[in-house]
Amino acid sequence: MVVLLCVLVLSIALQLTAAFLAIRLIRVTGWKSPWLLIAGAAVLMTVRRMVSLSQYSTWESRPPGFTAELIALSISALLVFGIALLDRHFRAAKQALLELDSHADQMRQAQKMEALGQLAAGVAHDMNNLLTVIFGS
């Protein structure tokens, strides 16, 4: 009985964690619909587990099957780990894009400086040619 209660409570905690992580991914990816659907599914699974927990703890019905609850716990754990991996992937991709933008800005600045240097060299060369004509070498 205690083990089954622990499995139910752990399953609830994992499902709430999955919902939280899915909602957090909205900020990272900017995609609302898919993550809200996943978070909604995790919350519904949480509600289902909470109903099982309340029925089991108040003896309103016979206890849920231990195997079924272990399967639900496994699904919850896989959901949390999958979303956590996606979170890490999307954060790394976002960081890479920010670094790429930074490097592109640096490249544009370097190209501007190179163009300015070539312009200055051309003006100096032309001035040197004019001074050579004026003063005679």
Side-chain angles (χ1 to χ4, degrees), residues 79-102:
L79 183 63
V80 168
F81 292 131
I83 292 173
L85 288 174
L86 284 173
D87 182 59
R88 188 172 61 185
H89 170 74
F90 280 119
R91 286 184 186 280
K94 189 174 185 178
Q95 182 63 31
L97 285 175
L98 290 174
E99 289 176 11
L100 185 63
D101 286 345
S102 173

Side-chain angles (χ1 to χ4, degrees), residues 4 6-7 10 24-25 28 30 34 40 53 71 86 92-93 95-96 110 117 119 121 129 132-133:
L4 185 58
C6 290
V7 167
L10 185 58
R24 200 172 79 171
L25 275 171
V28 175
L53 181 63
I71 290 170
L86 284 173
Q95 182 63 31
L119 178 63
N129 287 343
T132 301
V133 170

Side-chain angles (χ1 to χ4, degrees), residues 17-112:
T17 302
F20 171 76
L21 289 174
I23 289 171
R24 200 172 79 171
L25 275 171
I26 292 172
R27 240 187 6 204
V28 175
T29 63
W31 303 333
K32 288 184 181 178
S33 298
W35 299 118
L36 285 176
L37 289 172
I38 291 171
V43 168
L44 287 175
M45 290 183 343
T46 301
V47 170
R48 173 64 184 97
R49 297 275 75 77
M50 291 172 85
V51 167
S52 294
L53 181 63
S54 70
Q55 288 175 345
Y56 183 55
S57 63
T58 59
W59 301 98
E60 289 181 21
S61 66
R62 67 184 189 96
F66 187 71
T67 304
E69 292 305 323
L70 277 179
I71 290 170
L73 177 64
S74 301
I75 292 169
S76 300
L78 290 173
L79 183 63
V80 168
F81 292 131
I83 292 173
L85 288 174
L86 284 173
D87 182 59
R88 188 172 61 185
H89 170 74
F90 280 119
R91 286 184 186 280
K94 189 174 185 178
Q95 182 63 31
L97 285 175
L98 290 174
E99 289 176 11
L100 185 63
D101 286 345
S102 173
H103 291 301
D105 288 342
Q106 290 174 357
M107 183 64 152
R108 279 191 290 278
Q109 185 65 25
Q111 287 173 340
K112 288 178 190 176

